[in-house]
Amino acid sequence: MNDIRVRLSQNAALLTAIAIFILFYVFYNMNHPRGFSVAVLIQNSNEVFTLAMVAMAQTVPVLMGGLDLSVGAIMTLVNTIASHLLNGSPLQIALGMVISLAAGAACGFVNGCIVVYGRIQPIIATLATGAIFLGLALFLRPSPGGNVDDDLSWAATNDLYEIAATYGYAQNGEAAWFQPISWIPVPLVLLILVAVLVWLPFARSVTGRTVYAVGSGEGAAYMSGLPIDRAKIAAFTLGGFFAGIGGLYLTLQTSSGNADIPQAGAYTLNSIAAVVIGGTSLLGGVGTAIGSIFGALILRTISFNFRIFEIDPLMQPLFEGVVLLAAVSLGAFRVLRVKNTLELFR
């Protein structure tokens, strides 16, 4: 029983984020003209995926007690790269996807090397590299455009049953077992796969645990003999990889590339908000990328509700700011109650 209470206490922020998302999303669907339908779910999933990836990208450096101000720029750069490469034969498309994701990881690796070997604060280093990445994106795409494979773009933004039916796996009722998956959007599947196959193994690895240790106390992590430099570089590289996935999906969703500087800045700021709302401490050492996913879901659900009630879009930043302030205040409330800093690690 005590073990259950401890686990609930440790995951209180994540459970709160899940509860808020469910509340907002149910409210949204109750007031939507089409209700809870497959079309609405697919549209919502498409709008959420990129922000969820950028939020995961932001989570990793935040767990070390730093901020990455280049995640939106990396996403934008990968978007412009992919808009040049996602066409041709299946092999060429696959190679283009690999190059796009590798470019995102390489940007993160550069960030990590600058922070580790240049001994520069992450917020300053990534502010500079973000400007460089945006400059490269503008060089690759001076104006919006691109040539993305139509079939790939359609498949990535639809549901599983529609894809199965289109390619002959669910014709004439021969594959009725596909019916239960008719409501599952592809971006939702991709989001789960990224979380399960990439984030969870990293979080449970020695490097991942070192990232948490650095955020909790870098001096103590160093005295324990943990590979701090390797963990920092790996964290920023993984963050670049996540941002690259977001940029790649944005290309598939829009079928184009666009070096949109305001959009890059908006994604970066929203990623920080999603991380905080998802329960990750900006002081480092506490949180999870899964919580950041739900933080991104909450932010997007707020915008969904704004559309339903036809509220002035200019009011959305105000409401998001209130939600973010409430999330930060709840996190700080626990710290204010602590009389001995050792209690933070119980």
Side-chain angles (χ1 to χ4, degrees):
M1 196 66 182
N2 289 332
D3 184 58
I4 295 177
R5 280 200 296 267
V6 170
R7 290 186 177 275
L8 288 176
S9 176
Q10 290 175 339
N11 295 282
L14 174 60
L15 295 174
T16 302
I18 294 174
I20 293 174
F21 161 67
I22 293 174
L23 178 64
F24 281 5
Y25 199 65
V26 168
F27 185 73
Y28 161 73
N29 281 280
M30 288 176 60
N31 291 277
H32 196 286
R34 300 180 65 177
F36 188 81
S37 64
V38 175
V40 172
L41 183 59
I42 293 173
Q43 178 186 358
N44 295 161
S45 300
N46 286 326
E47 294 182 31
V48 162
F49 185 87
T50 299
L51 178 57
M53 287 296 100
V54 178
M56 291 181 74
Q58 188 68 255
T59 303
V60 196
V62 168
L63 286 173
M64 296 191 303
L67 283 176
D68 188 344
L69 298 184
S70 70
V71 289
I74 295 175
M75 178 209 73
T76 302
L77 176 58
V78 172
N79 171 231
T80 58
I81 293 173
S83 67
H84 285 282
L85 301 177
L86 297 187
N87 54 72
S89 67
L91 181 59
Q92 289 174 321
I93 293 174
L95 181 60
M97 295 175 69
V98 171
I99 293 174
S100 299
L101 295 177
C107 291
F109 179 77
V110 170
N111 285 340
C113 289
I114 293 175
V115 169
V116 171
Y117 300 114
R119 300 184 184 277
I120 301 174
Q121 288 294 325
I123 191 171
I124 302 300
T126 55
L127 180 64
T129 57
I132 296 173
F133 300 150
L134 285 175
L136 292 174
L138 284 168
F139 175 77
L140 292 172
R141 279 286 172 211
S143 59
N147 182 20
V148 179
D149 185 80
D150 292 333
D151 290 337
L152 179 62
S153 177
W154 174 85
T157 55
N158 245 290
D159 65 274
L160 294 179
Y161 181 78
E162 187 69 25
I163 296 172
T166 300
Y167 289 97
Y169 294 105
Q171 292 180 343
N172 304 320
E174 295 176 358
W177 60 279
F178 273 104
Q179 292 291 346
I181 66 173
S182 62
W183 61 274
I184 303 180
V186 172
L188 181 60
V189 175
L190 294 175
L191 185 60
I192 294 173
L193 288 176
V194 171
V196 173
L197 299 181
V198 181
W199 168 252
L200 291 182
F202 174 79
R204 295 178 179 178
S205 67
V206 174
T207 303
R209 294 179 186 277
T210 303
V211 168
Y212 278 91
V214 170
S216 298
E218 186 170 346
Y222 176 79
M223 295 299 292
S224 299
L226 295 175
I228 294 177
D229 290 348
R230 186 180 71 184
K232 288 183 177 181
I233 293 175
F236 280 101
T237 302
L238 182 62
F241 179 74
F242 283 143
I245 296 176
L248 179 61
Y249 188 82
L250 184 63
T251 308
L252 295 173
Q253 182 185 359
T254 61
S255 295
S256 65
N258 184 12
D260 190 337
I261 296 177
Q263 175 182 263
Y267 268 98
T268 298
L269 292 177
N270 282 330
S271 72
I272 298 173
V275 165
V276 175
I277 293 172
T280 299
S281 171
L282 292 178
L283 298 176
V286 177
T288 172
I290 308 300
S292 299
I293 292 175
F294 281 96
L297 290 171
I298 291 171
L299 288 177
R300 281 293 181 255
T301 307
I302 290 173
S303 65
F304 297 160
N305 279 289
F306 269 61
R307 289 204 301 261
I308 289 296
F309 294 103
E310 298 182 354
I311 299 174
D312 188 346
L314 295 176
M315 294 293 294
Q316 183 171 337
L318 172 63
F319 191 77
E320 289 177 350
V322 172
V323 173
L324 177 59
L325 180 61
V328 173
S329 300
L330 288 174
F333 181 69
R334 175 170 172 256
V335 177
L336 291 174
R337 287 168 40 192
V338 171
K339 297 180 180 178
N340 186 335
T341 53
L342 291 176
E343 296 179 16
L344 287 170
F345 304 102
R346 287 183 177 179

